[in-house]
Amino acid sequence: NNLISYLGEEKDYAIPDGVKAVGDYAFRYCKLSPLTLPLSLCSVTEQSFNNLKVSKVIVSKGSKDRFISLFPSFTNKIVEE
């Protein structure tokens, strides 16, 4: 299950459970707050979140360190809920 591109207009978006990969430029130039990442997500490219403007990234409790390793640019934005 891959997310190729986000074309929605919602500002609050949760990548659906079961999505394992996010494609190049999937969130290019999007403005989201918050963006919720599922535990199933395990593969992204350097360009998956290129030029994404996000103030908060929500992850499941106990998974913050895992997501920081996948998304170092989100380090100060990741919160567990």
Side-chain angles (χ1 to χ4, degrees), residues 7-35:
L7 301 175
E9 295 186 17
E10 298 86 6
K11 298 297 179 198
D12 178 352
Y13 181 68
I15 295 175
D17 288 334
V19 171
K20 294 181 180 181
V22 175
D24 285 346
Y25 306 106
F27 289 93
R28 188 173 193 177
Y29 301 117
C30 290
K31 295 178 185 173
L32 302 172
S33 186
L35 171 63

Side-chain angles (χ1 to χ4, degrees), residues 8-71:
E9 295 186 17
E10 298 86 6
K11 298 297 179 198
D12 178 352
Y13 181 68
I15 295 175
D17 288 334
V19 171
K20 294 181 180 181
V22 175
D24 285 346
Y25 306 106
F27 289 93
R28 188 173 193 177
Y29 301 117
C30 290
K31 295 178 185 173
L32 302 172
S33 186
L35 171 63
T36 303
L37 305 177
L39 282 173
S40 58
L41 188 61
C42 58
S43 176
V44 295
T45 70
E46 287 185 30
Q47 303 302 323
S48 294
F49 297 101
N50 184 286
N51 292 316
L52 169 66
K53 294 189 186 325
V54 63
S55 58
K56 181 179 177 183
V57 178
I58 299 172
V59 298
S60 297
K61 288 185 181 195
S63 65
K64 184 174 182 176
D65 289 340
R66 176 177 165 255
F67 282 109
I68 286 174
S69 69
L70 282 173
F71 311 107

